[in-house]
Amino acid sequence: MARKLLPGQRAELYTLDVGTRVATLRLSSSTLLFEAPNWSPDGQWLVVNGDGKLFKLGAESGELEEIDLGGIAEINNDHVLSPDGATAYVSSEDGHIYAIDLAAGDSGRPPRRVTNDNGAGFRHYLHGVSPDGSMLAYIGLTAEDGRVLTNVYVVPAAGGADLQLTDDHFADDGAEFSTDGSWIYFNSERGSAIPGHAQLFRIPVEGGEAEQLTSDERVNWFPHPSPGGSSIAYVSFPPGTLGHPENRDVVVRLVERDGSIKDLAHVFGGQGTMNVPSWDPTGNKIAFVAYPIEGSVR
């Protein structure tokens, strides 16, 4: 079931200049709870989901335009664009990932299911596409002895065998490729004994040992490497947060190559704010969503 706005709440899409830390309001709605902005590879479009659908809008001007999903089940906020901008990959609420041909329009090919049947109850949550467009990174969700397990996988974008990169009981999420395609970045609770205390990690794309990138008191989710690979944008929740809930005071942050951390924006949001790759192609801007509630005191 798609999320809805609370009474008095708005969804606000911002683009933020990373150098100046100036955020520009691009879109505001009191009727549609939209989430998770992508930036098109040519920098001309932003893509968001809302009400189980996918939309695009001009980066500088214009209104939301619905993207035809070809009749697949409603989608969640896990969607990415291929490096050439011709395909949108989406996670459907039926548990699978689909490829949507953006160039074909109404006369184009129907949606193509990418993912495999990996057992009853297995669900695929998409987060990244490789720089050459050949592979997708996703989180596979399973249940074992009443416990939910999440692990990092990759699968060919054209279809084929899955490769599982993690196989443990740690809570993993947000799997995304490095800009050179050699690493998968993700958030995980593997570095802490405190429930919910996720930090940022990376693992070689062929599998191996995970390397921890952040280590602080906050709960860090959804790492997004910049196009040049010099920094990683992510969403930082308050200490003690479990999961990645909506309607929380969060910080959009950067971790630089030397390990230093910069706050870019303080946002009332969380879930939906920046779940998917959200850098513009120049590496100068990111896009995020806030969900302010009129008259609220936090």
Side-chain angles (χ1 to χ4, degrees):
M1 182 69 68
R3 286 173 57 203
K4 304 294 183 183
L5 292 167
L6 298 175
Q9 190 170 38
R10 303 185 68 82
E12 297 181 343
L13 173 62
Y14 289 88
T15 61
L16 182 143
D17 185 296
V18 173
T20 64
R21 306 186 198 184
V22 173
T24 301
L25 179 62
R26 174 61 190 87
L27 180 70
S28 179
S29 176
S30 61
T31 57
L32 177 67
L33 192 155
F34 51 78
E35 304 175 286
N38 301 129
W39 220 302
S40 66
D42 63 5
Q44 299 301 304
W45 296 91
L46 291 160
V47 174
V48 296
N49 67 282
D51 199 25
K53 304 171 184 177
L54 196 65
F55 300 88
K56 68 176 184 178
L57 74 160
E60 300 293 337
S61 62
E63 302 298 324
L64 285 175
E65 301 176 32
E66 185 176 346
I67 295 171
D68 184 7
L69 297 180
I72 67 171
E74 70 174 33
I75 65 169
N76 62 23
N77 58 21
D78 299 321
H79 45 81
V80 300
L81 302 182
S82 62
D84 62 4
T87 305
Y89 296 100
V90 300
S91 291
S92 168
E93 292 294 357
D94 69 6
H96 284 284
I97 296 170
Y98 292 83
I100 307 298
D101 187 349
L102 297 179
D106 294 337
S107 61
R109 294 183 296 274
R112 173 178 57 85
R113 200 182 89 178
V114 175
T115 44
N116 303 297
D117 289 317
N118 290 318
F122 190 101
R123 300 182 68 84
H124 306 75
Y125 292 98
L126 172 69
H127 281 278
V129 59
S130 63
D132 64 2
S134 67
M135 302 292 290
L136 302 179
Y138 73 89
I139 297 299
L141 185 150
T142 57
E144 181 180 294
D145 299 326
R147 180 178 181 179
V148 174
L149 302 181
T150 53
N151 279 290
V152 178
Y153 295 75
V154 294
V155 66
D162 304 272
L163 175 62
Q164 185 172 352
L165 301 186
T166 66
D167 186 8
D168 50 55
H169 288 193
F170 299 114
D172 300 332
D173 212 325
E176 192 168 320
F177 285 88
S178 63
T179 54
D180 64 3
S182 62
W183 296 89
I184 299 291
Y185 288 79
F186 65 109
N187 56 269
S188 176
E189 295 178 27
R190 66 189 56 236
S192 176
I194 303 172
H197 193 70
Q199 296 294 301
L200 305 187
F201 292 80
R202 68 177 187 173
I203 191 170
V205 73
E206 68 275 6
E209 292 297 319
E211 175 184 332
Q212 189 164 348
L213 304 175
T214 62
S215 181
D216 57 58
E217 75 284 356
R218 295 184 63 85
V219 176
N220 301 324
W221 276 73
F222 302 131
H224 307 308
S226 64
S230 62
S231 57
I232 303 165
Y234 63 101
V235 180
S236 184
F237 289 81
T241 303
L242 297 178
H244 54 297
E246 67 271 18
N247 300 330
R248 296 290 192 276
D249 287 306
V250 299
V251 184
V252 176
R253 282 183 157 180
L254 284 186
V255 56
E256 303 286 4
R257 186 171 290 162
D258 62 4
S260 61
I261 292 174
K262 297 179 181 178
D263 290 356
L264 296 181
H266 290 257
V267 178
F268 187 67
Q271 171 72 300
T273 288
M274 201 172 68
N275 294 53
V276 294
S278 53
W279 286 91
D280 86 325
T282 69
N284 294 323
K285 295 181 180 180
I286 58 172
F288 66 86
V289 183
Y291 301 98
I293 301 175
E294 183 178 353
S296 67
V297 177
R298 301 189 298 278

